[in-house]
Amino acid sequence: MTDRRRAESGRMRPMVTPPKPEAEKAADSLQASVVEQVAAQLKAEIRQGRLPAGTRLVQGEIATRLGVSGTSVREAFYLLEHLGLIHWDGRRGVRVFAPSVEDLVEVYSIRAALESLAVRLATPGLGSDDLARLEKLQDQMEAPPPEENAFLSLNAQFHTFLAEKAGNRRLARLIDAEQTATSAYVIFLGGAIPTSLRQTHLEHRAILAAIRTGDADLAANAMSVHLTARAWALKRRLNSS
């Protein structure tokens, strides 16, 4: 045997990690599913204003309320932190994120970029049924009397529908996270005001009109104009309060 072959034969072979048993794989999958469900529930509560900005989230209390383990809640916190919806407030624990004016403008800027892209991708494939769905949502938003939570829910559905029609799941997830942040902040401010609602309706109608033409760039621009206008409207509202 040559010196080279002796050296090679004397090397330690890398250890191969044995595959997990099927039962262990199933347990991991179940745990991941529970964590995602907890994160989805908390995200919904933040969006609906049931967990307002600045609210302290107590791991044990949430675990008891949702009937899950503390570990699942803690892992859900990490998912929500990644989405920018909560933050670790030192020794005071976990709190729902309360953005500053700069944060608000930043989030809307991100939404404008993401959602204009989504509309650009979605417009060529939208059919008459899709437009009818969007028209119905907009009609419901404009129907008097405007009930605040109903409006916010319908508005979210309007934007989510277009995001999902883009056919890009990762893009839709990013948009959903940013929408949750802005919805929670509008609720924190006390909801949309009548002037803002009227402008939102006009801007939504402009988006729908652009989509009907089939011009993807025009639709994307209408979405960008809409979200930029909402950002500055909220900024003016904050600065005057």
Side-chain angles (χ1 to χ4, degrees):
M1 184 182 293
T2 65
D3 291 341
R4 180 180 176 182
R5 291 186 65 183
R6 285 193 190 94
E8 288 178 348
S9 64
R11 288 176 187 162
M12 290 184 65
R13 295 183 180 180
M15 294 183 66
V16 178
T17 303
K20 288 185 177 181
E22 290 303 316
E24 191 173 342
K25 287 182 181 178
D28 288 347
S29 177
L30 179 61
Q31 173 65 17
S33 176
V34 170
V35 170
E36 289 168 0
Q37 289 174 30
V38 171
Q41 176 64 32
L42 295 176
K43 184 169 73 173
E45 292 178 11
I46 292 171
R47 171 171 281 191
Q48 294 161 9
R50 288 153 59 192
L51 292 175
T55 299
R56 182 167 176 260
L57 303 179
V58 180
Q59 180 177 312
E61 291 177 1
I62 293 173
T64 299
R65 176 164 66 87
L66 299 182
V68 297
S69 70
T71 300
S72 294
V73 173
R74 187 174 183 82
E75 290 182 13
F77 284 168
Y78 288 127
L79 292 180
L80 295 175
E81 182 186 31
H82 180 70
L83 295 175
L85 299 178
I86 67 171
H87 69 106
W88 300 85
D89 191 15
R91 292 184 177 180
R92 288 176 287 185
V94 180
R95 292 186 182 275
V96 177
F97 183 55
S100 64
V101 176
E102 291 73 21
D103 292 322
L104 178 67
V105 173
E106 183 178 272
V107 169
Y108 266 103
S109 297
I110 293 170
R111 278 191 64 183
L114 295 176
E115 294 194 46
S116 59
L117 172 59
V119 171
R120 181 179 284 109
L121 294 173
T123 295
L126 293 174
S128 57
D129 289 345
D130 298 321
L131 281 169
R133 170 64 175 156
L134 290 166
E135 288 278 3
K136 183 177 180 180
L137 287 170
Q138 185 55 39
D139 288 343
Q140 290 174 315
M141 276 185 266
E142 295 177 20
E147 201 281 316
E148 185 60 46
N149 288 337
F151 168 78
L152 291 173
S153 175
L154 292 165
N155 183 60
Q157 290 177 56
F158 182 93
H159 285 269
T160 298
F161 184 84
L162 287 169
E164 291 176 346
K165 286 296 178 177
N168 186 315
R169 286 180 294 179
R170 180 168 292 184
L171 177 61
R173 285 197 297 269
L174 290 171
I175 289 172
D176 178 71
E178 301 304 327
Q179 285 176 355
T180 298
T182 51
S183 293
Y185 201 53
V186 169
I187 293 171
F188 178 64
L189 288 173
I193 58 177
T195 303
S196 179
L197 287 174
R198 288 193 293 272
Q199 286 302 121
T200 295
H201 298 329
L202 291 172
E203 290 155 14
H204 279 183
R205 291 294 180 187
I207 293 168
L208 290 173
I211 290 173
R212 279 192 217 95
T213 69
D215 188 329
D217 289 335
L218 185 63
N221 183 67
M223 178 62 79
S224 181
V225 167
H226 164 51
L227 292 172
T228 301
R230 293 309 92 220
W232 287 104
L234 284 171
K235 183 175 182 179
R236 287 194 300 271
R237 182 177 170 187
L238 279 169
N239 289 335
S240 64
S241 60

